[in-house]
Amino acid sequence: MSNKRELKKSIQVICSELLTECVAASLYGNKSHQDDAEALFYSIVRMEQDFISRISHPEPGMPAKKYFRLLCEQFTAQASELVDQINNL
């Protein structure tokens, strides 16, 4: 991570790709999973907003390097969980 702006941009790109995959899975998958796909849309948007706001307002009292490393690990874990859910649509 070189700066906050690039980290925010990376999160936005990854979340937009997740949304694209979710739309494709909902359009070309089973019609019975429409409610699941809609819930995934909202969870992706909420995740993006949450992590962007956490970048803008870091936790006080924690070293910045440790905070952003932990933030990246949490984002990666949550994004991979969403990928698994999209694959199950």
Side-chain angles (χ1 to χ4, degrees):
M1 177 194 83
S2 59
N3 62 25
K4 291 180 181 181
R5 186 178 327 146
E6 289 180 14
L7 184 58
K8 286 180 182 181
K9 187 70 170 174
S10 297
I11 287 174
Q12 289 173 342
V13 167
I14 291 169
C15 288
S16 68
E17 290 294 324
L18 286 173
L19 280 172
T20 303
E21 289 297 321
C22 193
V23 167
S26 70
L27 289 176
Y28 300 115
N30 292 337
K31 296 295 179 187
S32 62
H33 296 294
Q34 284 301 110
D35 292 334
D36 295 337
E38 189 172 321
L40 279 173
F41 293 143
Y42 291 124
S43 63
I44 292 169
V45 170
R46 275 186 266 131
M47 180 184 74
E48 180 181 6
Q49 291 172 348
D50 177 48
F51 280 97
I52 296 293
S53 67
R54 288 172 62 187
I55 291 170
S56 299
H57 305 287
E59 193 171 310
M62 187 180 230
K65 191 171 187 175
K66 182 179 179 183
Y67 176 76
F68 287 112
R69 185 180 308 124
L70 181 64
L71 186 85
C72 290
E73 290 172 2
Q74 290 173 349
F75 178 76
T76 303
Q78 198 166 355
S80 64
E81 181 182 317
L82 287 172
V83 168
D84 291 339
Q85 291 177 2
I86 292 170
N87 288 333
N88 292 331
L89 283 181

Short mmCIF file of all heavy atoms in Angstrom, two decimals, residues 24-66:
data_model
loop_
_atom_site.label_atom_id
_atom_site.label_comp_id
_atom_site.label_asym_id
_atom_site.label_seq_id
_atom_site.Cartn_x
_atom_site.Cartn_y
_atom_site.Cartn_z
N ALA A 24 -23.90 -11.01 -13.48
CA ALA A 24 -23.81 -12.06 -14.49
C ALA A 24 -24.36 -13.38 -13.95
O ALA A 24 -25.10 -14.09 -14.66
CB ALA A 24 -22.37 -12.24 -14.94
N ALA A 25 -24.04 -13.71 -12.73
CA ALA A 25 -24.53 -14.96 -12.14
C ALA A 25 -26.04 -14.92 -11.96
O ALA A 25 -26.72 -15.93 -12.15
CB ALA A 25 -23.85 -15.21 -10.80
N SER A 26 -26.58 -13.75 -11.62
CA SER A 26 -28.03 -13.66 -11.43
C SER A 26 -28.78 -13.70 -12.77
O SER A 26 -29.88 -14.24 -12.84
CB SER A 26 -28.40 -12.40 -10.66
OG SER A 26 -28.18 -11.25 -11.44
N LEU A 27 -28.18 -13.14 -13.81
CA LEU A 27 -28.84 -13.14 -15.11
C LEU A 27 -28.78 -14.50 -15.80
O LEU A 27 -29.75 -14.91 -16.44
CB LEU A 27 -28.20 -12.09 -16.03
CG LEU A 27 -28.49 -10.64 -15.69
CD1 LEU A 27 -27.70 -9.72 -16.63
CD2 LEU A 27 -29.97 -10.34 -15.78
N TYR A 28 -27.67 -15.18 -15.67
CA TYR A 28 -27.48 -16.43 -16.40
C TYR A 28 -27.66 -17.67 -15.54
O TYR A 28 -27.56 -18.78 -16.03
CB TYR A 28 -26.10 -16.44 -17.06
CG TYR A 28 -25.93 -15.30 -18.03
CD1 TYR A 28 -25.00 -14.31 -17.81
CD2 TYR A 28 -26.73 -15.20 -19.15
CE1 TYR A 28 -24.85 -13.25 -18.68
CE2 TYR A 28 -26.60 -14.13 -20.03
CZ TYR A 28 -25.66 -13.17 -19.78
OH TYR A 28 -25.52 -12.12 -20.64
N GLY A 29 -27.91 -17.48 -14.26
CA GLY A 29 -28.10 -18.62 -13.36
C GLY A 29 -29.57 -18.94 -13.20
O GLY A 29 -30.42 -18.56 -14.02
N ASN A 30 -29.89 -19.66 -12.16
CA ASN A 30 -31.27 -20.03 -11.86
C ASN A 30 -32.07 -18.81 -11.45
O ASN A 30 -31.59 -17.95 -10.73
CB ASN A 30 -31.32 -21.06 -10.73
CG ASN A 30 -30.74 -22.38 -11.14
OD1 ASN A 30 -30.70 -22.69 -12.33
ND2 ASN A 30 -30.32 -23.16 -10.17
N LYS A 31 -33.31 -18.76 -11.90
CA LYS A 31 -34.19 -17.65 -11.52
C LYS A 31 -34.65 -17.78 -10.08
O LYS A 31 -35.13 -16.83 -9.49
CB LYS A 31 -35.41 -17.60 -12.46
CG LYS A 31 -35.06 -17.32 -13.89
CD LYS A 31 -34.47 -15.95 -14.05
CE LYS A 31 -34.11 -15.72 -15.51
NZ LYS A 31 -33.40 -14.48 -15.70
N SER A 32 -34.52 -18.96 -9.50
CA SER A 32 -34.96 -19.16 -8.12
C SER A 32 -34.04 -18.49 -7.11
O SER A 32 -34.40 -18.34 -5.95
CB SER A 32 -35.07 -20.65 -7.81
OG SER A 32 -33.80 -21.26 -7.95
N HIS A 33 -32.86 -18.06 -7.53
CA HIS A 33 -31.88 -17.45 -6.63
C HIS A 33 -31.86 -15.92 -6.72
O HIS A 33 -30.88 -15.30 -6.33
CB HIS A 33 -30.49 -17.98 -6.92
CG HIS A 33 -30.33 -19.45 -6.67
ND1 HIS A 33 -30.42 -19.99 -5.41
CD2 HIS A 33 -30.11 -20.48 -7.52
CE1 HIS A 33 -30.25 -21.29 -5.50
NE2 HIS A 33 -30.07 -21.62 -6.76
N GLN A 34 -32.94 -15.32 -7.20
CA GLN A 34 -32.98 -13.86 -7.34
C GLN A 34 -32.84 -13.16 -6.00
O GLN A 34 -32.15 -12.15 -5.90
CB GLN A 34 -34.28 -13.42 -8.02
CG GLN A 34 -34.32 -13.64 -9.51
CD GLN A 34 -33.22 -12.92 -10.24
OE1 GLN A 34 -32.31 -13.55 -10.74
NE2 GLN A 34 -33.28 -11.62 -10.30
N ASP A 35 -33.49 -13.67 -4.97
CA ASP A 35 -33.41 -13.03 -3.65
C ASP A 35 -31.99 -13.12 -3.09
O ASP A 35 -31.50 -12.18 -2.47
CB ASP A 35 -34.39 -13.68 -2.68
CG ASP A 35 -35.84 -13.40 -3.07
OD1 ASP A 35 -36.08 -12.37 -3.73
OD2 ASP A 35 -36.72 -14.21 -2.69
N ASP A 36 -31.33 -14.26 -3.33
CA ASP A 36 -29.95 -14.41 -2.87
C ASP A 36 -29.02 -13.43 -3.58
O ASP A 36 -28.14 -12.84 -2.97
CB ASP A 36 -29.46 -15.84 -3.11
CG ASP A 36 -30.21 -16.86 -2.28
OD1 ASP A 36 -30.78 -16.46 -1.23
OD2 ASP A 36 -30.23 -18.03 -2.68
N ALA A 37 -29.25 -13.27 -4.87
CA ALA A 37 -28.42 -12.34 -5.65
C ALA A 37 -28.62 -10.91 -5.18
O ALA A 37 -27.65 -10.15 -5.05
CB ALA A 37 -28.74 -12.46 -7.13
N GLU A 38 -29.86 -10.55 -4.88
CA GLU A 38 -30.14 -9.19 -4.41
C GLU A 38 -29.48 -8.95 -3.05
O GLU A 38 -28.93 -7.87 -2.80
CB GLU A 38 -31.65 -8.98 -4.30
CG GLU A 38 -32.04 -7.55 -4.02
CD GLU A 38 -33.53 -7.35 -4.11
OE1 GLU A 38 -34.16 -7.94 -5.00
OE2 GLU A 38 -34.04 -6.58 -3.28
N ALA A 39 -29.51 -9.94 -2.19
CA ALA A 39 -28.85 -9.81 -0.88
C ALA A 39 -27.34 -9.66 -1.07
O ALA A 39 -26.70 -8.90 -0.33
CB ALA A 39 -29.17 -11.02 -0.02
N LEU A 40 -26.78 -10.37 -2.04
CA LEU A 40 -25.34 -10.23 -2.33
C LEU A 40 -25.00 -8.84 -2.84
O LEU A 40 -23.96 -8.28 -2.50
CB LEU A 40 -24.90 -11.28 -3.33
CG LEU A 40 -24.62 -12.66 -2.78
CD1 LEU A 40 -24.35 -13.64 -3.91
CD2 LEU A 40 -23.46 -12.63 -1.84
N PHE A 41 -25.88 -8.26 -3.68
CA PHE A 41 -25.65 -6.90 -4.17
C PHE A 41 -25.50 -5.95 -2.99
O PHE A 41 -24.56 -5.16 -2.92
CB PHE A 41 -26.82 -6.39 -5.03
CG PHE A 41 -26.99 -7.11 -6.33
CD1 PHE A 41 -28.27 -7.35 -6.81
CD2 PHE A 41 -25.92 -7.53 -7.09
CE1 PHE A 41 -28.46 -8.00 -8.01
CE2 PHE A 41 -26.10 -8.18 -8.29
CZ PHE A 41 -27.38 -8.42 -8.75
N TYR A 42 -26.46 -6.02 -2.06
CA TYR A 42 -26.43 -5.12 -0.91
C TYR A 42 -25.22 -5.36 -0.02
O TYR A 42 -24.63 -4.42 0.50
CB TYR A 42 -27.72 -5.24 -0.10
CG TYR A 42 -28.92 -4.68 -0.83
CD1 TYR A 42 -30.05 -5.46 -1.05
CD2 TYR A 42 -28.94 -3.37 -1.29
CE1 TYR A 42 -31.15 -4.96 -1.72
CE2 TYR A 42 -30.02 -2.85 -1.96
CZ TYR A 42 -31.14 -3.66 -2.16
OH TYR A 42 -32.22 -3.15 -2.83
N SER A 43 -24.86 -6.62 0.16
CA SER A 43 -23.71 -6.89 1.02
C SER A 43 -22.40 -6.40 0.40
O SER A 43 -21.51 -5.94 1.12
CB SER A 43 -23.62 -8.38 1.35
OG SER A 43 -23.41 -9.15 0.20
N ILE A 44 -22.28 -6.47 -0.92
CA ILE A 44 -21.08 -5.95 -1.59
C ILE A 44 -21.00 -4.43 -1.44
O ILE A 44 -19.94 -3.89 -1.12
CB ILE A 44 -21.06 -6.36 -3.07
CG1 ILE A 44 -20.87 -7.87 -3.21
CG2 ILE A 44 -19.96 -5.62 -3.83
CD1 ILE A 44 -21.10 -8.41 -4.61
N VAL A 45 -22.12 -3.76 -1.62
CA VAL A 45 -22.13 -2.30 -1.49
C VAL A 45 -21.83 -1.88 -0.05
O VAL A 45 -21.05 -0.95 0.18
CB VAL A 45 -23.49 -1.72 -1.97
CG1 VAL A 45 -23.61 -0.26 -1.63
CG2 VAL A 45 -23.65 -1.94 -3.46
N ARG A 46 -22.43 -2.59 0.92
CA ARG A 46 -22.16 -2.27 2.32
C ARG A 46 -20.70 -2.52 2.67
O ARG A 46 -20.09 -1.74 3.41
CB ARG A 46 -23.06 -3.09 3.24
CG ARG A 46 -24.41 -2.44 3.45
CD ARG A 46 -25.23 -3.19 4.47
NE ARG A 46 -26.06 -4.11 3.69
CZ ARG A 46 -26.22 -5.40 3.92
NH1 ARG A 46 -25.61 -5.97 4.94
NH2 ARG A 46 -26.97 -6.14 3.16
N MET A 47 -20.14 -3.60 2.14
CA MET A 47 -18.74 -3.91 2.41
C MET A 47 -17.84 -2.80 1.86
O MET A 47 -16.91 -2.35 2.54
CB MET A 47 -18.34 -5.25 1.77
CG MET A 47 -16.90 -5.62 2.02
SD MET A 47 -16.38 -7.12 1.20
CE MET A 47 -16.26 -6.60 -0.49
N GLU A 48 -18.12 -2.35 0.65
CA GLU A 48 -17.32 -1.28 0.05
C GLU A 48 -17.40 -0.01 0.89
O GLU A 48 -16.36 0.60 1.20
CB GLU A 48 -17.79 -1.00 -1.37
CG GLU A 48 -17.02 0.10 -2.06
CD GLU A 48 -17.51 0.40 -3.45
OE1 GLU A 48 -18.54 -0.17 -3.87
OE2 GLU A 48 -16.85 1.18 -4.13
N GLN A 49 -18.58 0.37 1.29
CA GLN A 49 -18.74 1.58 2.09
C GLN A 49 -18.04 1.45 3.44
O GLN A 49 -17.40 2.41 3.90
CB GLN A 49 -20.22 1.88 2.31
CG GLN A 49 -20.94 2.31 1.06
CD GLN A 49 -22.44 2.42 1.26
OE1 GLN A 49 -22.98 1.98 2.27
NE2 GLN A 49 -23.12 3.02 0.29
N ASP A 50 -18.14 0.29 4.04
CA ASP A 50 -17.52 0.07 5.34
C ASP A 50 -16.00 0.20 5.27
O ASP A 50 -15.39 0.91 6.06
CB ASP A 50 -17.91 -1.32 5.87
CG ASP A 50 -17.24 -1.64 7.19
OD1 ASP A 50 -17.28 -0.79 8.10
OD2 ASP A 50 -16.69 -2.76 7.31
N PHE A 51 -15.39 -0.46 4.29
CA PHE A 51 -13.93 -0.44 4.22
C PHE A 51 -13.41 0.92 3.76
O PHE A 51 -12.35 1.36 4.23
CB PHE A 51 -13.42 -1.56 3.32
CG PHE A 51 -13.38 -2.88 4.04
CD1 PHE A 51 -14.41 -3.79 3.91
CD2 PHE A 51 -12.32 -3.20 4.87
CE1 PHE A 51 -14.39 -5.00 4.58
CE2 PHE A 51 -12.28 -4.40 5.55
CZ PHE A 51 -13.33 -5.30 5.41
N ILE A 52 -14.13 1.61 2.90
CA ILE A 52 -13.71 2.96 2.49
C ILE A 52 -13.74 3.90 3.70
O ILE A 52 -12.81 4.69 3.91
CB ILE A 52 -14.59 3.50 1.35
CG1 ILE A 52 -14.44 2.66 0.09
CG2 ILE A 52 -14.30 4.97 1.07
CD1 ILE A 52 -13.10 2.73 -0.58
N SER A 53 -14.80 3.80 4.50
CA SER A 53 -14.87 4.69 5.67
C SER A 53 -13.82 4.32 6.71
O SER A 53 -13.31 5.19 7.42
CB SER A 53 -16.27 4.64 6.29
OG SER A 53 -16.53 3.38 6.85
N ARG A 54 -13.48 3.03 6.82
CA ARG A 54 -12.44 2.62 7.76
C ARG A 54 -11.07 3.10 7.32
O ARG A 54 -10.19 3.33 8.15
CB ARG A 54 -12.45 1.10 7.92
CG ARG A 54 -13.66 0.63 8.72
CD ARG A 54 -13.79 -0.86 8.73
NE ARG A 54 -12.66 -1.52 9.35
CZ ARG A 54 -12.50 -2.84 9.35
NH1 ARG A 54 -13.38 -3.62 8.77
NH2 ARG A 54 -11.45 -3.37 9.93
N ILE A 55 -10.86 3.27 6.03
CA ILE A 55 -9.59 3.82 5.55
C ILE A 55 -9.51 5.30 5.91
O ILE A 55 -8.48 5.80 6.33
CB ILE A 55 -9.45 3.63 4.03
CG1 ILE A 55 -9.26 2.16 3.70
CG2 ILE A 55 -8.29 4.45 3.48
CD1 ILE A 55 -9.34 1.85 2.23
N SER A 56 -10.63 6.01 5.75
CA SER A 56 -10.64 7.44 6.01
C SER A 56 -10.50 7.79 7.48
O SER A 56 -9.99 8.85 7.82
CB SER A 56 -11.95 8.05 5.48
OG SER A 56 -12.05 7.85 4.09
N HIS A 57 -10.96 6.89 8.35
CA HIS A 57 -10.92 7.16 9.79
C HIS A 57 -10.26 5.99 10.51
O HIS A 57 -10.94 5.13 11.05
CB HIS A 57 -12.34 7.38 10.32
CG HIS A 57 -13.08 8.45 9.59
ND1 HIS A 57 -12.78 9.78 9.76
CD2 HIS A 57 -14.07 8.40 8.67
CE1 HIS A 57 -13.57 10.49 8.99
NE2 HIS A 57 -14.36 9.69 8.31
N PRO A 58 -8.92 5.96 10.53
CA PRO A 58 -8.22 4.85 11.18
C PRO A 58 -8.46 4.83 12.69
O PRO A 58 -8.78 5.86 13.30
CB PRO A 58 -6.75 5.08 10.86
CG PRO A 58 -6.65 6.48 10.42
CD PRO A 58 -7.99 6.91 9.94
N GLU A 59 -8.28 3.67 13.25
CA GLU A 59 -8.49 3.48 14.68
C GLU A 59 -7.39 4.18 15.47
O GLU A 59 -6.20 3.93 15.24
CB GLU A 59 -8.49 1.98 14.98
CG GLU A 59 -8.99 1.64 16.34
CD GLU A 59 -9.16 0.15 16.49
OE1 GLU A 59 -9.79 -0.47 15.62
OE2 GLU A 59 -8.64 -0.38 17.48
N PRO A 60 -7.74 5.03 16.42
CA PRO A 60 -6.71 5.73 17.20
C PRO A 60 -6.00 4.77 18.16
O PRO A 60 -6.58 3.82 18.65
CB PRO A 60 -7.50 6.79 17.97
CG PRO A 60 -8.90 6.33 17.97
CD PRO A 60 -9.09 5.45 16.78
N GLY A 61 -4.73 5.03 18.38
CA GLY A 61 -3.96 4.24 19.31
C GLY A 61 -3.32 3.00 18.71
O GLY A 61 -2.58 2.31 19.38
N MET A 62 -3.60 2.71 17.46
CA MET A 62 -3.03 1.54 16.79
C MET A 62 -2.04 2.03 15.74
O MET A 62 -2.32 2.99 15.02
CB MET A 62 -4.15 0.73 16.13
CG MET A 62 -3.74 -0.58 15.54
SD MET A 62 -5.18 -1.40 14.81
CE MET A 62 -5.03 -2.99 15.55
N PRO A 63 -0.87 1.41 15.66
CA PRO A 63 0.09 1.83 14.63
C PRO A 63 -0.53 1.70 13.23
O PRO A 63 -1.23 0.74 12.94
CB PRO A 63 1.25 0.85 14.80
CG PRO A 63 1.10 0.28 16.17
CD PRO A 63 -0.36 0.33 16.50
N ALA A 64 -0.26 2.69 12.40
CA ALA A 64 -0.89 2.75 11.08
C ALA A 64 -0.56 1.52 10.23
O ALA A 64 -1.44 0.97 9.56
CB ALA A 64 -0.46 4.02 10.36
N LYS A 65 0.67 1.09 10.25
CA LYS A 65 1.08 -0.05 9.43
C LYS A 65 0.31 -1.31 9.84
O LYS A 65 -0.18 -2.05 8.99
CB LYS A 65 2.59 -0.27 9.57
CG LYS A 65 3.16 -1.25 8.59
CD LYS A 65 4.67 -1.24 8.66
CE LYS A 65 5.25 -2.08 7.56
NZ LYS A 65 6.70 -2.00 7.52
N LYS A 66 0.20 -1.53 11.12
CA LYS A 66 -0.53 -2.70 11.62
C LYS A 66 -2.01 -2.59 11.29
O LYS A 66 -2.65 -3.56 10.90
CB LYS A 66 -0.33 -2.83 13.13
CG LYS A 66 -1.00 -4.02 13.74
CD LYS A 66 -0.74 -4.10 15.23
CE LYS A 66 -1.45 -5.29 15.85
NZ LYS A 66 -1.24 -5.32 17.30
#
